[in-house]
Each structure stands twice: as C-alpha cells, then as structure tokens.
Amino acid sequence: MKQRRILVVDDEPGICQSLGGVLEDEGYLVAAAESGEACLAALPEGEFELVLLDVWLPGMDGMEVLARIQEIPPADRPLVVMISGHGSIEAAVRATKLGAFDFLEKPLSIEKVSVVVKNALAHRSLAIENSRLKADTGARYRIIGESVPMKALRQQLALMAGTNGRVLIYGESGTGKELVAHAIHASSPRPASLSSR
C-alpha cells in the first residue's frame, strides 16, 4: 500500500522535526516547509494528502496559505489542519470557514495529532471514493445515441435537471422511463438524495 504523504509547515524547526518524527514512526512520509511560500511551492510536486499548517508564519501567514490551497482543484487538494500557539475561537472559526479540516493548539499532544491525522486522511479517502462513485453513477445513466430525437431528449433533460419543478415521465413499458429519471437526477444539483421507491 502506498504511504500517505504529509507536509508540516512551521517556522520553528524543532516543531517540524518533532512532528515529522512522530508521523514517520506511524508510517507516513513527511516533508517540512518553513514558510507559506515554501508550502505552496511544494504542493504541486509532492502529491501531499495532508498539510499541518501553522497560523503564524513569516511573510504569507497560514490563513492566506489556507485560502490559496482551497483554490487547488478538489481531486488534488490536500486537507489542511491548522496549528497555532495563540489559538482563539475566532481563529478556529475563520480557519474552518476557509476550509480547514481541524484546528490544533500548541503545545501539541502526540495522541491528539495522531487521531486528527488519521481522521483527516480517512475523510479524504472517503471524499475521493465518493467523487469516484458519483462519476460512475453519472456514466451509468447516460443517454446515448446521435439521432435527432435522442439529441432533443438530452437537451430537454439538461433543461429539466436544473429546475426544482416536478417532472412527469410517461410512455410505453420498456421505453426507458427509469433511465430518463436517473439521468435527470444524476444531472441535477441533488444527485446524492436519490431514494429507491
């Protein structure tokens, strides 16, 4: 199994070393960066799944780095756990609103760091699997065919999928009414709420 990659971003070398040592003992591949700019430079090439990011950094602060990380496409974006020695409720709320998975206060507890890292990586794995399954479901209910009636049907389905209105699908038995219903739902803003009746 591939080792999970974690990036520790802190301007205190001692914290980078101690966190790196603890996480490497748990089987993770760990790299360190001492500034926000170094973190952003390392992300495209490192394929990191998680970033432990200090709030107070020289130059670009941790909140700004977090906001920049959120601009990365979701499939490639690592989860971020914020770390602060001067933690406040306001900072934790702001970090969460910007997309942080969790917020840890210094001094760091090895047990808490371990639990948060495991939860974050499990969450990321589930999110990736969920995206893959949604994509598979959308492909399964795709309406194919290049005839004029099939193209017209796809256009009508696209129009209906974006509305909150109710749709009545009728026709002979075996003509694909259920496929049309699934295709509308898969293209709608609420594809996760399908329930079988």
Side-chain angles (χ1 to χ4, degrees), residues 19-66:
L19 263 178
V22 167
L23 294 170
E24 284 172 351
D25 288 346
E26 293 192 14
Y28 303 112
L29 285 175
V30 182
E34 293 186 3
S35 69
E37 293 83 0
C39 168
L40 293 174
L43 287 180
E45 61 196 47
E47 298 180 6
F48 294 101
E49 297 182 61
L50 179 66
V51 176
L52 298 175
L53 178 62
D54 191 19
V55 172
W56 304 104
L57 294 169
M60 187 184 299
D61 76 349
M63 294 295 185
E64 188 177 343
V65 174
L66 173 61

Side-chain angles (χ1 to χ4, degrees), residues 89-162:
I89 292 173
E90 293 82 18
V93 168
R94 183 171 169 228
T96 304
K97 284 183 178 178
L98 285 172
F101 178 78
D102 207 339
F103 192 94
L104 296 173
E105 291 185 58
K106 294 177 184 175
L108 297 171
S109 151
I110 292 173
E111 293 81 18
K112 187 163 187 179
V113 168
S114 177
V115 167
V116 168
V117 165
K118 284 179 185 167
N119 288 343
L121 291 173
H123 177 82
R124 186 170 191 276
S125 294
L126 287 172
I128 290 170
E129 180 69 10
N130 190 20
S131 296
R132 188 187 65 75
L133 290 173
K134 281 182 181 178
D136 289 350
T137 300
R140 185 175 353 155
Y141 296 117
R142 195 166 40 112
I143 306 287
I144 58 173
E146 294 304 318
S147 66
V148 173
M150 292 308 282
K151 288 179 181 178
L153 175 63
R154 281 197 297 273
Q155 287 177 340
Q156 289 178 342
L157 295 179
L159 288 173
M160 288 181 267

Side-chain angles (χ1 to χ4, degrees), residues 1 10 13 22 32 77-78 105 111 120 163 170 197:
M1 188 168 128
D10 200 303
V22 167
R77 181 188 314 147
E105 291 185 58
E111 293 81 18
T163 69
Y170 64 92
R197 295 182 181 208

